[in-house]
Amino acid sequence: MKHKFTALAAAATLAIGTVAHAAEHNILILPDAYFPAITYMEPGDTVRFTNVSGSNQSIIAKNNDWVIGPIAPDSEVTMVIETGVQKTFYNKDLTNDDGTYSVEGKMSFSAAPLN
């Protein structure tokens, strides 16, 4: 009986150790960039956009799928990233002469590179 209990305890410990936990990722909004430029995550994770640019900032996803802002200086906004969300985003207020956005950030569900 003792061996059965030990095996069940080991199985329970293994199952508990493999429970997935959502992570939180921080993206800094700079005057002319996002840091990091690419954030690696999994669906269900939370992204915290923190505005350290010194001025109001708005973020718009590619194809206008989602918009955040304006975000005041030294403020932050969080969002949960679900499967299917548009992962490329831009600074809504900074555009090139041809109307394209000049500051781009990305989120990726791929594994982060090791280098």
Side-chain angles (χ1 to χ4, degrees):
M1 184 71 159
K2 182 178 179 183
H3 294 291
K4 268 189 178 179
F5 178 75
T6 303
L8 287 174
T13 302
L14 181 60
I16 291 170
T18 59
V19 173
H21 295 282
E24 183 172 290
H25 306 274
N26 294 304
I27 299 176
L28 298 178
I29 305 168
L30 305 172
D32 59 355
Y34 293 106
F35 181 81
I38 301 174
T39 303
Y40 297 91
M41 62 186 59
E42 295 182 18
D45 286 358
T46 299
V47 173
R48 179 178 307 277
F49 292 97
T50 304
N51 183 0
V52 295
S53 72
S55 62
N56 285 341
Q57 299 291 328
S58 296
I59 301 169
I60 188 166
K62 186 176 182 177
N63 301 328
N64 300 317
D65 283 356
W66 51 268
V67 177
I68 297 175
I71 305 168
D74 301 318
S75 296
E76 52 191 35
V77 174
T78 60
M79 68 184 280
V80 175
I81 305 302
E82 300 296 337
T83 302
V85 70
Q86 176 52 250
K87 296 181 287 288
T88 300
F89 54 92
Y90 310 98
N91 184 318
K92 184 177 179 185
D93 305 311
L94 297 177
T95 58
N96 298 314
D97 292 337
D98 63 1
T100 60
Y101 296 104
S102 58
V103 177
E104 178 181 279
K106 292 187 177 194
M107 298 178 278
S108 175
F109 292 153
S110 298
L114 297 177
N115 55 0

